[in-house]
Amino acid sequence: MCGIVGFTSRSASAVGPLVSGLRRLEYRGYDSAGVALECDEGIKVFKQTGKVAELDALLKKELPEEERGKFTVGIAHTRWATHGLPTTVNAHPHIADGGSLALVHNGIVENYAALRSGLEKHGVKFVSQTDTEVLAHLVATFDKGDLLAATCEALKRVEGTYGIALISAKHPGEMIVARKGSPLVIGVGEKDIVVASDVSAIVAYTRQVIYLKDGDVARITPDGVDIHSLDFSPVSREVQEVDWDIGAIEKGGYEHFMLKEIFEQPDALRNTIRGRLDAGEGTAILSGLNLRPRDLAAVRRLVIIGCGTSLHAGMVGKYLFETLADIPASAEQAAEFRYCNPIVGPDDWVIALSQSGETADTLAAVRESNRKGALVSGLCNVVGSTIAREAGRGVYLHAGPEISVASTKAFTAQVTALLMTALKLGRTRRLSLEEGVKLVAEIERIPDLISEVLKKSDDIAKIAEKYAKADDMFFIGRGILYPAALEGALKIKEVAYVHAEGYQAAELKHGPIALLGEETPVVALLSDIAGKEKTLGNVQECRARRAPVIGIVTEGDAAAAAAVNDAITLPRTSAPIAPIVTAVALQLLAYHVARLRGCEIDQPRNLAKSVTVE
Ligand code: M6R
């Protein structure tokens, strides 16, 4: 989604840091970009549709190197269009006050139409179709000499969500930032201060950061950061250290972030697991949940919420909780859950899954669950994210930054974290010590099992060559492998633009089988766990309709391998681990197909990394 960068320094030019900050945010998805720079003569704005490279080219043309030093303060933005087409006029920054104030915004101003007509009545002329332009004019209207006070006054009138950064020629050297429902982080360097909507645009400068909270408004100058609440009272926020460095967000020799992140999974999952298993007691130690055995014993039902890949991980979680903890569980798409007036209360445990921790629908579902008195916890990757904070308790994935829009390591880390949670819950119920100890040993093996799957990358690439031209594909799985089928279909849709459907293996013959033919490959998930024989029957049904079948089969399972046209073999695992190793193989299949089709793998068309609008 949209990205914000701000920079202020006593001596360094803001131009380079702003552009490289925008580049770091490119992975989030956007369709235009812009920069506003302040110097003694006022504010200069440069905007461009398309990629940051095109904005950079514009800056190179219009702003000679020798002039750049005079701009030591600036703000920048990548826009993913919501209100109005992706045009240069609609791109941020938006200006007000005759060009002396510039503002960038992430989020949505829900009452923008009412605010806009109020301002128009007072003679304000709008040039764009955006909700953001309203904010720029509103702040300018309230500016009576204190830019922070003016911002507070303006924001008090705003309904919706925002992360904003603004500068004004009337207040040289100052940058104001604020957040409500849209993240903003301040990086406090030794000489410079960098602001961004995502910490990945900051770590090149500093790992010392302040995570703003909702309702915070900050005045930033090269001398420091001054944070207030909307009612103008000072608040204090601690400076925290980011626990990863720039290497984590660079490609490190891989052609794409997606491939890098697929290959990072053994290490990522080691971090997810580290220190969280108790082999002696056969249980998991998840202190972030902050739940006593009696709290766990009181839970009557689990509701797992998420969107996209996180939803699929949650669907695996449903099977894990029901089989290991003997507790009814459901996985719900967060927006559907939120708007169906869900029946949840104090006996229910709602687990919100989100890699980014910023997905608007999941956040809204968390709020709804909190309002209804459910026990709520978050399972997020991004530390300090809104969902992690609002859930109040949870389990961090510690999978490291995920830059590729297509989520990979977050899925396997989420399933692993859910597995540990189910183990912990199971051990407070009927899961025996012996079963718990066995499961702990299996969880400890997950990173090595994934390494085994990664060794198959070249074999999978060869299979991908045979099917890369297919326009339609089916993914079928049964039981705990059904969500993996959905995830496999989602991955290939997103990155390879292949129309793909994930189905319960048994459901295919109830309609979709009409679409099968020799041009429609079926990927069958055939790990050697309960239900495999039935899925093999479904494979026969597909082949009888001439559909070629790619089987994801267990090593040594000759019968399954013989039943399919092409087999990808995986190490033998128990059922709870099967979706994890299967997902890794399907990630590689999607990646190789996308590469062969020449797709823009890390930033697929129309997609954004974190969906912060409902
Ligand atoms: O950050 P989240 O996990 O909440 O994101 C949820 C979905 O938007 C995300 O998983 C999306 O489906 C990915 N593009 C999947 O690869």
Side-chain angles (χ1 to χ4, degrees), residues 242-263:
V242 178
D243 64 358
W244 47 268
D245 61 18
I246 193 79
I249 52 166
E250 294 192 330
K251 283 189 197 151
Y254 286 90
E255 195 178 341
H256 296 100
F257 279 112
M258 181 178 179
L259 191 63
K260 178 187 177 225
E261 286 158 12
I262 291 172
F263 272 82

Side-chain angles (χ1 to χ4, degrees), residues 307-310 353-357 359 362 405-407 414 490-491 494 609 611:
C307 301
T309 291
S310 291
L353 298 190
S354 177
Q355 187 285 130
S356 62
T359 299
T362 311
V405 165
S407 192
Q414 283 169 332
L490 176 62
K491 279 299 80 90
E494 283 185 295
K609 180 63 183 163
V611 183

